[in-house]
C-alpha cells in the first residue's frame, strides 16, 4: 500500500452567538479577520492540514450558528467529534454562564463513549476589546470552572489580533488526535454479514 | 433470490411515495427517479458499478423534503465513454434539464467528471465521492474484458462486487452492503457487462473548465474498493476543491451515513448557489398512507396539502429534521443514534 490515508480529526466549535467562533476559525485557517458581523447560517466547516509529531492530519472544524437550537442541527453534525471547543466572550458574562449548557448539550447530542474524558477546550475570546477594560469574566473565574469540569485546557484569545489562536488550536488538535487514536483501537460489535452476502451474490441465475 | 435480506422500512416507504420512471431515449432505456421542485436546478446522482438509482433513496427523501430537486439514475446500457456522454446528454434534453449538479460515487464520479469535461456548459458543480481519474488500473486487473459479453451473469455479479470489503462490519455498513447486493441481483447480464466495459474502456479525465471551488470531494476515510492512490489523484487534480471527507462509512456512505452525506450535499448546494424551495416540497404525507404519487395530479395535490402543514417558518436551511416527514426522518435520526460508532 503506497499511500496511507490521512487521519481525519473532527472538531466542533460551540458557544453563544457573537462570541467569535467564526472569527477564530477564520483566523486559524485563513489568517484573516473581519470586523463585519456575518451570521453563520446553519452549520459550515473548514479544513486544515496539520503536522504533528511527523504525521499529517486533516482537521475538519465545524462551526455553528449560536442562535440556533441544537436539535435543529441534528446528530450528523456531532457524530464522530474528536474535540469540542467551547467559546465565550470575556466581555459578556452571559456567554460564560452558558458554557455549561453548551457542554451538556454537546454530551447529550454527541454521546461520546467516555463522556468523563472527552476532550473539551475552553476559549475566552475578545481579550483585545477596549484594551481589556470592558472585561467582566476574570481569568481566575474561568480557570476555576475549567478545573471543576475535569481540568479542561483554557486559552484566552483575540481572534482580531490573532493572539494565542495558533496555540489554542495546537492543543485542540493534539487532544483531538489523542481521542481519535483511542477511537481507532475500539472495534464495534461485529456481525458477519459480508460473507453471507458474498455467497448470495454468486449463487444466482438471471 | 432475496435470501435473508429484509427490505428496510424507509425504502418501502420511499417506493410508495416516489415514482420510478422508465423511458426509452434514443436507443437507450433510462430508469430513474426525479423528485422535488421542478424549477430548482437538480442534483443528479450517478451510482457506481454496483449501484442503481435506488441506492440514493435516502438522499432523495431527505433533500427533496428540504426543497431540492434530486434525480438519480441507473447507468444506462452504454459500452464506452463517448456513448455515455451522448446518452446522458440526450437524457437531460429529454427531461428538459439544462444546468445540473452532479453527485457521483465511484464509477459514477468518473462519469460525472467526463461529462463535465465534455459538456462544460451544463455542469455547474460536482460532488465526487470515492472516485478516480482514469481506468487503466481496472483494465489491467481485468484481462478478460474482451470476453465480458460471454461471461456468465453470476461471475459478472461477483466481479462488480470485488474490492468491497467482506465482513465483519458494524451494522449500518453491513446493511448498506446488503442493500447494494440486493440491487446488484436485479441487474441483467447485459447491464453488468456494459458497466464492466465502461470501467475498463480506456479513458481518463482531462482538464475541467469548472473551477475547483465548485467541486466537493467526499471520500470515506475508513475503507472502500477504490484504491487510495486513485482517490488521492482526484484530490491532487482539484487542489482548490472542498474536502468534505467522512471519517467512515465504507463503500456506500449514502446508505450507511445518510445524515452526514445529506448534510454535506446541502452544504455543497448552498455553497454553489442552489436555492432550495422548501415551500414547494413535494409531499411526503405525515401518515405515509394514501394513494400513489406517481400520478401528476396526485402530486400537485400533495404539494398543496403540505403548504399548510407543520413546516416551521424559521427553519434554518440545514435543519436536519422537519416535522413534515414524520416517521421517515425519525427513523433516520434513530438510526443515527445507534450508528454512532464509539
Ligand atoms: N474586537 C474583537 N472583535 C471580535 C473578535 N472576535 C470576533 N470579533 C467580532 O465579533 C463579532 C462576532 O464574531 P463572529 O466570529 O461572527 O461570532 P460567532 O457568532 O460566534 O461566529 C464580529 O463582528 C467579529 O468581527 C475579537 O477577538 N476581538
Ligand atoms: Mg458564526
Amino acid at each position: 500500500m503506497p499511500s496511507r490515508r490521512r487521519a481525519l480529526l473532527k472538531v466542533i466549535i460551540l458557544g453563544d452567538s457573537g462570541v467569535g467562533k467564526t472569527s477564530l476559525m477564520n483566523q486559524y485557517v485563513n489568517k484573516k479577520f473581519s470586523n463585519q458581523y456575518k451570521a453563520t447560517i446553519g452549520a459550515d466547516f473548514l479544513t486544515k492540514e496539520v503536522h504533528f509529531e511527523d504525521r499529517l492530519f486533516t482537521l475538519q472544524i465545524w462551526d455553528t450558528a449560536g442562535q440556533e437550537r441544537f436539535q435543529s442541527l441534528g446528530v450528523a453534525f456531532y457524530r464522530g467529534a474528536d474535540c469540542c471547543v467551547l467559546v465565550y466572550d470575556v466581555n459578556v458574562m452571559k456567554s460564560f454562564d452558558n458554557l455549561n449548557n453548551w457542554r451538556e448539550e454537546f454530551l447529550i447530542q454527541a454521546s461520546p463513549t467516555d463522556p468523563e474524558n472527552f476532550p473539551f477546550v475552553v476559549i475566552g475570546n475578545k481579550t483585545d476589546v477596549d484594551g481589556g477594560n470592558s472585561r467582566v469574566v476574570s481569568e481566575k473565574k474561568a480557570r476555576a470552572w475549567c478545573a471543576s469540569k475535569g481540568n479542561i485546557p483554557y486559552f484566552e484569545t483575540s481572534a482580531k489580533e490573532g493572539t494565542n489562536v495558533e496555540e489554542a488550536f495546537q492543543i485542540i488538535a493534539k487532544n483531538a488526535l489523542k481521542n481519535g487514536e483511542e477511537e481507532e483501537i475500539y472495534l464495534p460489535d461485529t456481525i458477519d454479514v459480508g460473507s453471507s452476502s458474498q455467497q448470495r451474490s454468486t449463487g444466482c441465475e438471471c | 433470490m432475496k435470501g435473508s435480506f429484509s427490505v428496510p422500512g424507509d425504502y418501502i416507504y420511499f417506493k410508495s411515495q416516489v415514482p420510478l420512471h422508465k423511458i426509452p431515449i434514443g436507443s437507450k432505456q433510462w430508469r430513474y427517479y426525479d423528485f422535488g421542485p421542478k424549477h430548482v436546478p437538480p442534483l443528479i446522482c450517478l451510482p457506481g458499478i454496483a449501484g442503481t438509482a435506488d441506492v440514493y433513496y435516502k438522499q432523495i427523501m431527505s433533500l427533496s423534503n428540504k426543497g431540492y430537486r434530486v434525480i438519480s439514475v441507473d447507468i444506462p446500457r452504454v459500452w464506452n465513454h463517448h456513448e455515455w456522454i451522448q446518452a446522458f446528454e440526450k437524457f437531460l434534453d429529454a427531461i428538459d434539464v439544462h444546468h445540473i449538479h452532479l453527485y457521483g460515487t465511484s464509477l459514477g464520479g468518473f462519469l460525472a467528471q467526463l461529462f463535465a469535461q465534455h459538456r462544460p456548459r451544463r455542469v455547474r458543480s460536482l460532488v465526487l465521492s470515492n472516485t478516480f481519474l482514469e481506468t487503466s488500473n481496472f483494465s489491467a486487473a481485468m484481462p478478460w474484458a474482451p470476453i465480458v459479453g460471454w461471461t456468465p451473469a453470476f461471475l459478472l455479479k461477483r466481479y462488480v462486487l470485488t474490492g468491497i470489503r467482506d465482513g465483519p462490519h458494524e451494522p449500518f455498513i453491513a446493511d448498506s452492503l446488503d442493500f447494494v447486493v440486493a440491487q446488484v441481483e436485479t441487474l441483467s447480464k447485459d447491464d453488468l457487462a456494459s458497466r464492466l466495459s465502461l470501467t475498463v474502456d480506456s479513458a481518463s479525465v482531462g482538464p475541467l473548465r469548472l473551477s475547483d471551488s465548485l467541486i466537493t470531494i467526499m471520500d470515506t476515510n475508513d475503507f472502500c474498493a477504490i484504491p487510495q492512490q486513485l482517490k488521492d489523484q482526484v484530490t491532487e487534480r482539484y487542489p482548490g476543491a472542498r474536502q468534505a471527507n467522512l471519517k467512515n462509512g465504507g463503500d456506500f456512505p449514502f446508505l450507511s451515513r445518510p445524515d452526514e452525506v445529506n448534510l454535506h450535499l446541502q452544504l455543497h448546494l448552498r455553497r454553489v448557489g442552489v436555492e432550495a424551495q422548501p415551500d414547494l416540497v413535494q409531499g411526503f404525507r405525515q401518515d405515509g398512507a394514501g394513494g400513489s404519487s406517481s400520478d401528476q395530479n396526485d402530486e400537485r395535490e400533495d404539494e398543496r396539502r403540505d403548504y399548510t402543514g407543520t413546516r416551521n417558518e424559521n427553519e434554518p436551511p440545514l435543519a436536519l429534521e422537519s416535522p413534515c416527514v414524520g416517521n421517515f426522518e425519525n427513523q433516520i435520526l434513530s438510526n443515527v443514534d445507534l450508528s454512532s460508532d464509539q
Side-chain angles (χ1 to χ4, degrees):
Chain A
M1 278 281 103
S3 53
R4 196 183 126 57
R5 71 203 153 82
R6 186 174 300 168
L8 181 66
L9 300 171
K10 187 169 171 181
V11 172
I12 287 171
I13 308 186
L14 298 175
D16 283 6
S17 178
V19 298
K21 300 180 295 297
T22 305
S23 301
L24 281 164
M25 189 170 81
N26 270 324
Q27 178 60 259
Y28 175 60
V29 176
N30 301 321
K31 304 270 173 277
K32 277 188 198 139
F33 177 80
S34 156
N35 267 316
Q36 239 173 347
Y37 180 76
K38 206 172 126 218
T40 310
I41 320 164
D44 210 347
F45 69 96
L46 288 178
T47 52
K48 180 158 165 122
E49 304 293 310
V50 289
H51 279 279
F52 203 83
E53 287 166 357
D54 285 342
R55 284 168 67 192
L56 202 52
F57 302 91
T58 305
L59 270 193
Q60 196 178 75
I61 308 169
W62 285 82
D63 181 26
T64 53
Q67 68 275 21
E68 270 166 27
R69 288 309 308 140
F70 285 88
Q71 286 83 347
S72 69
L73 287 165
V75 193
F77 176 80
Y78 297 93
R79 166 107 52 70
D82 293 302
C83 181
C84 175
V85 184
L86 303 171
V87 185
Y88 76 98
D89 177 344
V90 298
N91 309 287
V92 180
M93 186 55 81
K94 181 134 188 302
S95 71
F96 176 74
D97 293 338
N98 275 340
L99 286 184
N100 208 44
N101 297 334
W102 290 105
R103 181 176 170 276
E104 304 262 296
E105 284 286 351
F106 174 83
L107 290 174
I108 291 167
Q109 296 285 334
S111 43
T113 17
D114 186 4
E116 299 295 305
N117 293 310
F118 185 85
F120 286 92
V121 169
V122 169
I123 292 182
N125 188 41
K126 303 201 192 185
T127 52
D128 64 282
V129 173
D130 208 7
N133 289 324
S134 61
R135 178 165 188 149
V136 294
V137 183
S138 71
E139 180 172 348
K140 193 166 159 228
K141 182 169 173 167
R143 287 197 184 277
W145 185 79
C146 290
S148 76
K149 297 295 170 190
N151 284 320
I152 302 178
Y154 177 69
F155 290 87
E156 298 205 333
T157 61
S158 162
K160 182 174 183 171
E161 284 162 7
T163 323
N164 232 7
V165 174
E166 188 69 38
E167 289 83 349
F169 274 94
Q170 290 229 323
I171 295 301
I172 290 163
K174 186 175 152 199
N175 290 354
L177 177 58
K178 214 161 65 189
N179 187 69
E181 277 175 345
E182 276 161 21
E183 212 175 54
E184 288 216 343
I185 300 166
Y186 170 80
L187 280 173
D189 288 350
T190 53
I191 297 177
D192 195 1
V193 177
S195 57
S196 61
S197 52
Q198 203 74 354
Q199 268 162 21
R200 220 178 293 145
S201 69
T202 57
C204 176
E205 74 318 325
C206 40
Chain B
M1 183 188 89
K2 286 270 147 65
S4 60
F5 172 71
S6 66
V7 180
D10 61 343
Y11 179 63
I12 294 171
Y13 184 61
F14 165 80
K15 291 294 280 179
S16 76
Q17 300 292 306
V18 180
L20 173 67
H21 301 275
K22 286 183 181 169
I23 52 166
I25 299 170
S27 58
K28 304 295 170 202
Q29 188 68 27
W30 283 83
R31 182 182 174 280
Y32 68 99
Y33 297 98
D34 178 358
F35 211 62
K38 288 287 173 279
H39 56 281
V40 175
L43 176 73
I44 304 187
C45 308
L46 302 176
I49 190 166
T52 58
D54 301 62
V55 300
Y56 298 113
Y57 76 96
K58 288 171 189 277
Q59 284 64 53
I60 298 172
M61 291 201 83
S62 165
L63 294 177
S64 70
N65 191 59
K66 303 254 159 35
Y68 291 103
R69 179 180 181 185
V70 184
I71 296 172
S72 75
V73 303
D74 273 19
I75 306 290
R77 220 173 278 167
V78 293
W79 301 87
N80 61 57
H81 299 107
H82 292 293
E83 222 191 332
W84 153 251
I85 291 158
Q86 276 158 14
F88 191 52
E89 183 166 46
K90 285 203 184 106
F91 168 72
L92 298 178
D93 291 341
I95 62 169
D96 199 24
V97 158
H98 299 283
H99 298 139
I100 57 171
H101 301 266
L102 291 172
Y103 165 43
T105 64
S106 180
L107 174 64
F110 178 65
L111 297 177
Q113 294 172 83
L114 283 179
F115 194 76
Q117 179 193 342
H118 293 283
R119 296 294 180 272
R121 264 170 300 185
R122 294 195 99 145
V123 179
R124 289 295 152 105
S125 78
L126 290 173
V127 181
L128 304 173
S129 180
N130 293 337
T131 190
F132 47 88
L133 294 174
E134 55 174 30
T135 53
S136 53
N137 258 61
F138 304 104
S139 42
M142 200 177 133
W144 50 281
I147 56 153
V148 75
W150 302 95
T151 311
F154 80 90
L155 274 181
L156 295 179
K157 283 178 185 167
R158 183 188 292 191
Y159 200 81
V160 299
L161 295 167
T162 44
I164 291 168
R165 196 193 270 193
D166 213 345
H169 290 299
E170 52 98 328
F172 286 88
I173 291 181
D175 286 349
S176 73
L177 209 71
D178 272 1
F179 188 89
V180 169
V181 169
Q183 288 296 308
V184 169
E185 290 294 352
T186 67
L187 297 174
S188 74
K189 182 169 130 90
D190 282 346
D191 288 330
L192 293 160
S194 86
R195 286 159 188 225
L196 286 168
S197 301
L198 266 183
T199 311
V200 298
D201 177 36
S202 162
S204 58
V205 178
L208 301 192
R209 224 191 285 164
L210 194 70
S211 146
D212 282 5
S213 64
L214 299 170
I215 300 175
T216 293
I217 297 174
M218 198 200 303
D219 289 347
T220 42
N221 219 32
D222 49 351
F223 56 85
C224 87
I226 304 302
Q228 185 66 41
Q229 71 266 31
L230 297 190
K231 297 203 288 181
D232 287 347
Q233 286 170 9
V234 176
T235 311
E236 281 155 26
R237 173 69 71 85
Y238 312 114
R242 173 88 136 175
Q243 298 287 323
N245 293 345
L246 307 177
K247 285 176 104 173
N248 44 43
D251 279 283
F252 314 110
F254 37 90
L255 289 163
S256 64
R257 299 288 183 272
D259 55 345
E260 285 176 71
V261 169
N262 295 342
L263 178 59
H264 279 297
L265 290 174
Q266 281 180 79
L267 287 170
H268 172 87
L269 291 170
R270 189 177 78 192
R271 209 161 56 88
V272 302
V274 179
E275 297 217 10
Q277 300 281 331
D279 296 348
L280 297 178
V281 166
Q282 207 165 354
F284 286 116
R285 269 151 294 177
Q286 195 120 28
D287 52 4
S292 130
S293 61
S294 60
D295 181 297
Q296 287 292 344
N297 292 331
D298 246 350
E299 264 173 32
R300 248 172 265 131
E301 213 169 69
D302 288 351
E303 276 176 32
R304 235 175 282 129
R305 212 172 302 164
D306 275 2
Y307 278 46
T308 55
T310 39
R311 181 160 287 278
N312 178 354
E313 297 279 280
N314 296 321
E315 190 186 27
L318 291 178
L320 289 181
E321 73 251 283
S322 149
C324 285
V325 245
N327 293 337
F328 172 70
E329 205 102 328
N330 284 341
Q331 188 168 350
I332 286 193
L333 287 175
S334 59
N335 282 357
V336 168
D337 280 337
L338 293 169
S339 71
S340 69
D341 43 347
Q342 282 109 29

